[in-house]
Each structure stands twice: as structure tokens, then as C-alpha cells.
Amino acid sequence: MSVTEFVLERLRSDHAPALLAFERENRAYFAASVPDRGDAFFEDDHFAARHRALLDEQEVGTILFHVLVAGDGEILGRFNLLDVDRETGSAELGYRMAEKATGRGLATVMVRELCIRAREEYGLSRLTAVTTVDNGPSRAVLARVGFGAVGSVTLDGGEPATAYELDLGGSFGREWSGTDS
């Protein structure tokens, strides 16, 4: 599979079945590096209600959810902008990749793409991110895209993590766009 066989789409209502399948298939994989979402999250009715609520919140503009969709409609990743603040031009980046889609550079490409969208489509100028100190792959993706570590934090569960920041102004993205401005 090449990167061109995938597309990053804004989350829509018709993504719900494929998104639930993605979450169920990768539950144990995700739980190895982030707190598990609990059994209720994976129940059809609960997931459907939560999906509708997130789409409503997305309409308000405080969150912007995206999914990485393969040519066959399978979802292989989630790429989200949370706590979107248009006044300050900031948001927090979060993402998850399906275990079977890791190790191919897809996360780096899609995080990069979302950062460019954040600047060009959503008018944001700064993104933050947080990852646990033992999540080497996520730290590597953030570094490759240009995020810099700005401090240590402790997650709600007491896990040590690193906070990152990326300035979307200036030269960000030029090396990928092929332009000098």
C-alpha cells in the first residue's frame, strides 16, 4: 500500500460504523500506551450517541476530527484538533493509528497534512500535543513534523508525559510544499 491509497477526511456521520470497527480492532493496542476507554465506549448505542455528540461539537468548531480512510473505506487512524481556540489560533493535536498501519510513515504524513490544514483551512497558528514519555513512535512523529518539547506534564492517571508545541507560522510547511513563501 502506498500513501496515495489513503485520504484524510473530516469526520462525518457515515464514518461511525468503520470508526467503531477501528476502535474495537485496536482496543488492546491503544490500551498499551493510553488509558482504555472502558467497555461502555465500545457498545453500539453508546458509541453512536457519542459519535453524534462529537459531530455536534465539531459543528460548533471547538473540535475538528479527521479520519484516515483507506480506498476500501476502512479507517486506519484518527487525527484530531481539540480545544480549538480561534482567538488565540491554537489547538491541541491528538492522533491514533491502527496497529496494522504503523511503521510505514503514514502517521508522519497525516500529522503533517493536518498541520497544514490547521494553518491554511482553519486559520490556526500554534498546535500543542502531549505524549507519554514511553511512547517513542509518537515522540518521533512529532519531532519529524517539527514539534518541539516544551516541558514535562503528568497525565490524569499519574503517567509522566512530555508537552510539545509547533508554531505554524513562518517557514512551517515550505519544505513539503515546494514553495519559498
Side-chain angles (χ1 to χ4, degrees):
M1 284 189 253
S2 71
V3 172
T4 58
E5 296 174 8
F6 306 96
V7 63
L8 190 64
E9 299 178 354
R10 274 288 285 277
L11 185 66
R12 302 182 312 257
S13 60
D14 63 319
H15 286 129
L19 184 58
L20 180 54
F22 162 81
E23 293 289 352
R24 284 176 173 163
E25 183 177 316
N26 292 284
R27 182 178 183 179
Y29 175 66
F30 294 149
S33 59
V34 295
D36 186 69
R37 295 177 182 234
D39 291 339
F41 177 87
F42 300 94
E43 295 171 4
D44 290 341
D45 291 342
H46 181 272
F47 189 87
R50 184 176 181 279
H51 189 76
R52 283 190 303 275
L54 291 175
L55 289 172
D56 290 344
E57 192 174 346
Q58 182 168 259
E59 283 300 312
V60 174
T62 56
I63 58 174
L64 298 164
F65 288 105
H66 303 78
V67 288
L68 174 60
V69 183
D72 63 0
E74 181 181 13
I75 291 179
L76 297 174
R78 296 178 71 138
F79 296 82
N80 306 321
L81 296 174
L82 310 166
D83 299 324
V84 176
D85 185 331
R86 307 267 182 187
E87 281 188 34
T88 63
S90 65
E92 181 177 346
L93 169 73
Y95 67 93
R96 293 176 173 218
M97 287 292 296
E99 182 175 19
K100 68 182 176 184
T102 61
R104 297 188 238 167
L106 283 171
T108 300
V109 169
M110 294 304 142
V111 167
R112 213 174 259 150
E113 182 175 330
L114 185 55
C115 290
I116 291 169
R117 284 187 193 188
R119 182 186 66 198
E120 295 177 1
E121 293 178 31
Y122 308 138
L124 302 177
S125 57
R126 185 176 69 83
L127 296 180
T128 61
V130 174
T131 189
T132 56
V133 295
D134 63 348
N135 191 338
S138 284
R139 289 194 336 266
V141 166
L142 293 172
R144 282 192 293 270
V145 173
F147 280 81
V150 294
S152 297
V153 296
T154 302
L155 300 179
D156 289 341
E159 212 171 346
T162 303
Y164 293 83
E165 189 172 302
L166 176 65
D167 178 359
L168 296 174
S171 64
F172 173 77
R174 282 193 215 149
E175 60 272 27
W176 311 305
S177 67
T179 64
D180 292 330
S181 57

